[in-house]
Amino acid sequence: MARLRTRLALLGSAAALAAGALLPAQFAGAQAAAAAGSKQWVALGDSYTAGVIQAAGNTFEVPRDGCERTDRSYPQVIDRDLGAFFELTNVSCGAATIDDITDTPQHPIGRHLPPISEDPDYPFPAVPPQSEAVGADTDVITVGAGGNTLGFADLVMKCSQLGGESDGKGTPCKDALGAGIPARLTKVRQDYDRMLEVLHERAPHAKILAVGYPTIVPRDASKCSYGDLTQFGTITQGDLDWLREDVLKPLNKAIDNSTGTQDAAGFVDLYTPSQNHSVCDDSKWVEGVVTLPDQLSFVHPNALGHRNAADHVEEAMLNAIDMS
């Protein structure tokens, strides 16, 4: 991906743009798009797209709408990299479900997470369904969603509670909640299929890029220290293995499979390139429950994680231009 960023820098020079024969196909396509005018890009998604946490930058919208989009989230990073080729409309929103993207107005929560934190601007007015930002002139749609429909945040909270009660032993969360996971995944798949249909209807000529979730739990859960709030707090190692294998990997698989229902849709894999950058790795791209000294991050990508997402989403977007 460093090579991609180098090529993007070259795209900014007139000499590189003039040497179209030397450019890879997707960059030649990007050059043509720039010459013809910017492509319309709409970024949809939940907190893993919006940024939300301080480790992913500063919120930049005034007045705040409670969605907590940050300036180092991947849509904003891509906008700085590819602004000559794409005109961004970013309506991603923290805590969004798939339905909030498809057709349900959302009531954003900002940083209002009582009893942990109170947001002075809460409550916020409802924001429209994110799909309303998509229209017939949209060329590319990126969407990152599914975790809130699955209930991942609730799972983290419940697993922490049960892990604390078990003194770090066994798989109390799997034992209590494991039987219900297949139904949750089925709902994700059904809601995702419907969302893709709605997006395709609203933007029949657009390429839809479904952005998956990164590696959160390492392949070796023994890397994670029980009780460490900069990691997963009191979730047991057994439950971390369960969350990785039976929840998070199948969530990405459900999203990937859903894109197969639409010819215009494709999947952007963030899991594979982030496998050595989990919450419990020294070089982490996802923060734990807390970021020191006192920031509540609640298992969200930091700026490095968003940079990685931007690299892979950029490549898919440039390929989408070439295919359009």
Side-chain angles (χ1 to χ4, degrees):
M1 287 302 112
R3 192 166 45 182
L4 174 61
R5 290 197 293 273
T6 300
R7 288 174 177 171
L8 289 174
L10 290 174
L11 280 173
S13 72
L17 287 173
L22 300 178
L23 291 172
Q26 67 266 35
F27 291 96
Q31 178 183 345
S38 296
K39 297 288 187 178
Q40 298 299 308
W41 163 37
V42 180
L44 315 174
D46 58 24
S47 55
Y48 273 58
T49 298
V52 173
I53 65 172
Q54 294 179 52
N58 299 314
T59 55
F60 56 85
E61 292 178 328
V62 180
R64 295 172 62 217
D65 62 3
C67 286
E68 298 301 287
R69 302 174 197 92
T70 62
D71 60 6
R72 299 181 75 182
S73 62
Y74 74 79
Q76 301 306 130
V77 172
I78 296 172
D79 189 42
R80 290 190 286 274
D81 287 348
L82 299 182
F85 310 118
F86 295 93
E87 183 174 339
L88 169 63
T89 300
N90 183 1
V91 292
S92 59
C93 193
T97 65
I98 298 171
D99 281 345
D100 292 330
I101 294 171
T102 307
D103 54 18
T104 303
Q106 180 183 352
H107 292 271
I109 60 174
R111 300 185 185 274
H112 191 70
L113 297 167
I116 301 170
S117 66
E118 303 281 341
D119 193 317
D121 296 325
Y122 183 87
F124 296 90
V127 296
Q130 293 181 33
S131 66
E132 291 189 6
V134 173
D137 62 344
T138 302
D139 298 294
V140 177
I141 301 166
T142 57
V143 54
N148 293 312
T149 298
L150 179 77
F152 179 68
D154 292 336
L155 286 173
V156 170
M157 293 179 66
K158 187 65 174 177
C159 290
S160 297
Q161 175 193 336
L162 293 172
E165 293 171 356
S166 74
D167 293 324
K169 299 179 177 65
T171 55
C173 201
K174 175 183 177 182
D175 298 343
L177 303 175
I181 296 301
R184 296 185 189 218
L185 290 166
T186 296
K187 178 170 175 54
V188 168
R189 175 64 192 271
Q190 292 172 342
D191 288 2
Y192 218 98
D193 287 351
R194 180 168 165 270
M195 176 189 70
L196 292 178
E197 290 175 0
V198 168
L199 294 177
H200 184 61
E201 289 172 1
R202 295 185 68 93
H205 304 296
K207 180 69 175 182
I208 305 169
L209 300 173
V211 182
Y213 289 89
T215 297
I216 298 170
V217 180
R219 285 173 285 191
D220 179 6
S222 67
K223 287 183 175 182
C224 303
S225 301
Y226 178 76
D228 186 347
L229 288 176
T230 67
Q231 297 180 358
F232 291 101
T234 53
I235 301 179
T236 70
Q237 289 182 4
D239 277 334
L240 288 173
D241 283 330
W242 168 69
L243 286 170
R244 182 189 63 243
E245 296 299 324
D246 291 0
V247 179
L248 295 169
K249 284 185 177 180
L251 172 60
N252 273 325
K253 187 64 174 176
I255 295 169
D256 189 6
N257 288 343
S258 188
T259 62
T261 66
Q262 288 282 345
D263 291 339
F267 179 68
V268 181
D269 173 25
L270 299 185
Y271 190 92
T272 302
S274 60
Q275 285 192 59
N276 294 318
H277 302 279
S278 75
V279 169
C280 303
D281 283 300
D282 290 337
S283 177
K284 64 171 65 176
W285 290 352
V286 181
E287 297 295 309
V289 177
V290 169
T291 302
L292 295 177
D294 57 359
Q295 300 171 14
L296 181 65
S297 294
F298 207 57
V299 193
H300 281 84
N302 56 30
L304 292 173
H306 281 281
R307 176 69 261 182
N308 174 67
D311 287 341
H312 293 279
V313 175
E314 281 176 2
E315 187 170 12
M317 290 172 65
L318 291 170
N319 284 330
I321 286 181
D322 190 49
M323 295 168 61
S324 61

